[in-house]
Amino acid sequence: MKELRSIHGLSQEYLIEHTGLDIFHFENGSKNPTTVSLAVLCDFYHITLGEFFTPMNYPPKEK
């Protein structure tokens, strides 16, 4: 998650504001995201769940 956020140049605060997800806890490992949370994140980044779990060697998609 952190790598994806960094690729897009976003802060945790921005992502929290726009998704309502507990990004801080997901990134530091104190909580695991649910499948619903992952779906929200994928929707935000305009990627599929499959793309989320692939290695990060693809450019960010245009919004």
Side-chain angles (χ1 to χ4, degrees):
M1 282 187 194
K2 187 175 185 177
E3 186 176 353
L4 185 59
R5 183 175 56 77
S6 293
I7 287 171
H8 287 272
L10 302 174
S11 67
Q12 285 182 339
E13 292 80 15
Y14 182 88
L15 202 53
I16 291 167
E17 270 183 43
H18 290 84
T19 64
L21 298 176
D22 200 357
I23 300 302
F24 173 77
H25 289 114
F26 295 157
E27 287 186 3
N28 75 17
S30 62
K31 289 185 180 179
N32 291 320
T34 64
T35 51
V36 171
S37 295
L38 291 175
V40 168
L41 207 60
C42 289
D43 185 53
F44 176 81
Y45 286 119
H46 304 284
I47 61 173
T48 66
L49 195 55
E51 289 171 320
F52 178 83
F53 286 107
T54 58
M56 300 298 286
N57 19 350
Y58 57 87
K61 290 186 176 180
E62 295 293 320
K63 292 183 180 180

